[in-house]
Every structure is written in structure tokens, then in C-alpha cells.
Amino acid sequence: MAKKYMGNLGTATIIKDQSLLNHEAIKQQIYIVDELRDLIPPLQEEEYSQLEKNILAEGCREALMVWETTKNIINNTTSDNSTVYVLVDGHNRYGICQKHQINFKIHLVSFESLKDAKEYMIDNQLGRRNLIPEQASYLRGIRYNTEKLEKGKYSREEHKGQNVPYAPEAKKEATSLKLAKQYNVSEKTIKRDAEFAEGIDLLAPGLKKDILSGKVKAKKSSIQQLAKLENVNQKSIASLEEVSNLLDEHSAENSPNNSDNIDDLTIIKKKIQGIVEKLSINPNPTLCDELIQASEALKKLL
């Protein structure tokens, strides 16, 4: 016996044939998956404090959602198929209940894969009204990046060793367009969200939490630019000052006015000016070719 549970935008399956005794045993085995926990937007201190006060006064009124699955489903590097009970919704409530030894209810649910569980959690969070813009952007970006990764993987598997002809009429809808329609935003917003999510995930846990909780205000454009940098150590950036320094270093390295190429720029500019002057006096194909070559050389330095 099972029934479908419809969240704001996602679907899970609630397992009904579990006894109360089993539920009590499962509560002692709840497992936290960091990858899923990190999809829950952090609460500000006053929000967490209010939630704690409510639970202390009224108990944990809303059931926690627990995914009954196996270890090899949540971790594809193991063949262990023993059962685990993964917390999907209610991480803050669970932490408070554990801290104060308060009883709580659970709903057992089922997903086919970790990807399905993530999509459900993201859609469920995005359906809530109290998200700040940074949280919504991060969640949409995570959803886009996950789907793009999965789409690329399956595409490679389907075409591996096959000579599949291009069929325009069979072309699938772009991930960015699909999610833009689902979340009622533009495609550009979805792609910017993806860069924002990548940049946020490069930050140290403390800074990431502070930005996503609204405690620290960061320029979204700076976080997006951070995602485009190469050789950045993941989760190593602990302050906005470090973000600014990295972006400044990158800008200096790629600036046409740095000491490494300023002399070359000056030489090429003078050469182009000379060619243009000659062309104004005596236009000919050879000078045109020289101008094209000089322009290409200038382009490489810019």
C-alpha cells in the first residue's frame, strides 16, 4: 500500500504499510545526507529561534519526511544494498527535536533515485513563500546544473558506439527553457542562477551559509564571476574580501594594460596606424593583408 504525495511541484510516494512500532525503530536510524541537507536554505538566527520556541511550546506538529532507500542508491560507489532511512524534509525540526529530546512523527516516502529526491526537495523549497532571492537563485541553479550533468551523461551513453543521424524534429527542449517555464523566469535568469550556484559552492561552508541565510550581502555578479575562474580550490574562500581579491587578480592577469603586453600593444597599434596611413595614399591588396594580420595580433592581446 502506498500513495502519491504531491508537494508544491514535486512528487513522492508515501509508504503506508508501516506499523507504529516500525516507525519508532526508524526514528533511531535516520540518516543525514550532506548533499540533500545542503539543499535546505539556512534559517536566520531569529527564524531558527522562533521555530525552536514553537516546537518547545507545541511539540513538532508537522511530520518529518524520511526516504526509505538503500546505500547503493544514495552512493553509487558502493554495492551495499542495505536499507537506510534518509531525511528529506524537516532537517531544522529534526535537529531541534534531537537537542531537546522531543518526539516527532515521520512519513516514509520513496524515490527512484537520488536525483529524483533532489528535484523534489528543490521544488518543495521553491514553492515556499519565505525564500530570499539568493536562496531561490541557488536552488534553481542547482536544479539546472544537475539536469545538465544528467542530460550530458545519458546523451553520451545513448550515442556511444552509434552513428546517430541528426534529427531536428526530435530535438529535445533545452533544459534552461524547460526550467524557465516551470519557475516562471527567463532563460537568462536560469543560466545566471547556474553560475551563482557554482560560485556559491566554491565558498567555505560558513560564508556560503551566511550568504544564503541573508546574514551577509554579496554582489550576485561577483559570485557569478567567481564560477568562471579556473583553479579555484572548492570551499576554501572564507570571506568576501577573498572573493574580491581573486576577481581583481584575474582582472589584472587578463588586462590589456598589464606590464607583460603593454609594449606589444603599443608596437602593434603604431604598426596599424602606419598601414592605415599607407592605404589612404596607395590602396593595394598587400597592405590590406598586412592590416588583417596586425588586427588579428592585436585581438589576441586584448
Side-chain angles (χ1 to χ4, degrees):
M1 296 279 299
K3 72 173 183 178
K4 290 289 184 182
Y5 173 84
M6 299 300 294
N8 292 293
L9 292 170
T11 304
T13 302
I14 291 184
I15 302 171
K16 296 287 284 183
D17 56 352
Q18 295 288 338
S19 67
L20 181 61
L21 184 62
N22 281 345
H23 275 207
E24 291 303 315
I26 289 168
K27 291 178 188 179
Q28 308 304 316
Q29 304 175 60
I30 289 179
Y31 184 71
I32 305 295
V33 175
D34 292 346
E35 187 177 355
L36 297 181
R37 180 199 58 200
D38 291 346
L39 295 175
I40 305 297
L43 298 177
Q44 294 191 20
E45 291 180 6
E46 58 270 23
E47 291 175 322
Y48 186 89
S49 177
Q50 186 60 54
L51 177 63
E52 187 172 31
K53 288 178 182 177
N54 292 344
I55 291 176
L56 287 171
E58 304 171 8
C60 188
R61 301 171 63 180
E62 188 177 351
L64 277 57
M65 194 171 289
V66 177
W67 176 24
E68 181 178 0
T69 184
T70 56
K71 289 183 178 179
N72 59 320
I73 293 295
I74 61 173
N75 182 358
N76 58 17
T77 64
T78 181
S79 59
D80 187 350
N81 63 353
S82 56
T83 301
V84 288
Y85 299 96
V86 177
L87 186 60
V88 171
D89 185 60
H91 290 73
N92 290 309
R93 284 173 280 133
Y94 176 68
I96 293 170
C97 289
Q98 289 291 92
K99 176 182 176 181
H100 298 287
Q101 297 183 331
I102 295 173
N103 194 21
F104 55 88
K105 299 175 184 177
I106 63 171
H107 279 321
L108 281 180
V109 298
S110 176
F111 298 99
E112 292 185 2
S113 66
L114 183 63
K115 174 179 175 290
D116 288 343
K118 288 175 67 174
E119 287 185 3
Y120 170 81
M121 290 180 67
I122 289 171
D123 288 347
N124 193 40
Q125 292 300 320
L126 285 170
R128 296 179 175 178
R129 297 181 180 179
N130 60 341
L131 290 184
I132 63 175
E134 290 83 358
Q135 293 170 347
S137 181
Y138 178 72
L139 290 170
R140 290 192 301 260
I142 288 290
R143 176 76 187 274
Y144 175 82
N145 289 333
T146 300
E147 289 210 15
K148 286 288 288 184
L149 184 65
E150 290 290 325
K151 188 176 181 180
K153 182 179 74 174
Y154 290 128
S155 178
R156 288 191 297 274
E157 289 175 354
E158 289 171 2
H159 292 78
K160 189 175 181 180
Q162 299 179 23
N163 184 18
V164 181
Y166 174 66
E169 67 279 2
K171 188 176 180 181
K172 294 181 180 178
E173 184 177 53
T175 302
S176 56
L177 179 58
K178 183 189 76 171
L179 294 181
K181 291 178 180 178
Q182 181 174 338
Y183 299 129
N184 197 29
V185 295
S186 69
E187 276 192 87
K188 287 185 178 180
T189 295
I190 293 294
K191 291 180 178 179
R192 287 195 292 263
D193 290 339
E195 292 176 348
F196 181 71
E198 288 181 28
I200 284 289
D201 284 340
L202 291 172
L203 306 178
L207 181 57
K208 174 180 177 178
K209 180 179 179 181
D210 286 344
I211 291 175
L212 290 181
S213 69
K215 184 177 180 180
V216 170
K217 294 296 182 182
K219 287 185 178 179
K220 191 174 181 181
S221 59
S222 296
I223 303 300
Q224 291 167 335
Q225 289 175 39
L226 187 64
K228 300 175 183 178
L229 303 187
E230 297 180 358
N231 303 318
V232 177
N233 293 326
Q234 191 171 17
K235 299 183 179 179
S236 65
I237 305 168
S239 69
L240 292 181
E241 184 179 1
E242 290 182 51
V243 172
S244 180
N245 290 339
L246 279 170
L247 295 178
D248 287 344
E249 289 173 13
H250 177 74
S251 178
E253 289 173 359
N254 292 276
S255 171
N257 296 317
N258 66 59
S259 59
D260 292 332
N261 63 12
I262 189 168
D263 291 338
D264 291 339
L265 276 171
T266 302
I267 292 171
I268 293 174
K269 286 179 179 178
K270 288 182 177 180
K271 184 175 181 179
I272 289 175
Q273 288 173 354
I275 296 171
V276 171
E277 289 175 2
K278 290 178 182 178
L279 279 170
S280 65
I281 299 171
N282 181 27
N284 66 73
T286 301
L287 287 174
C288 289
D289 290 339
E290 289 180 13
L291 181 60
I292 291 172
Q293 291 175 4
S295 298
E296 289 296 325
L298 179 62
K299 184 178 180 182
K300 289 180 180 179
L301 290 175
L302 297 176

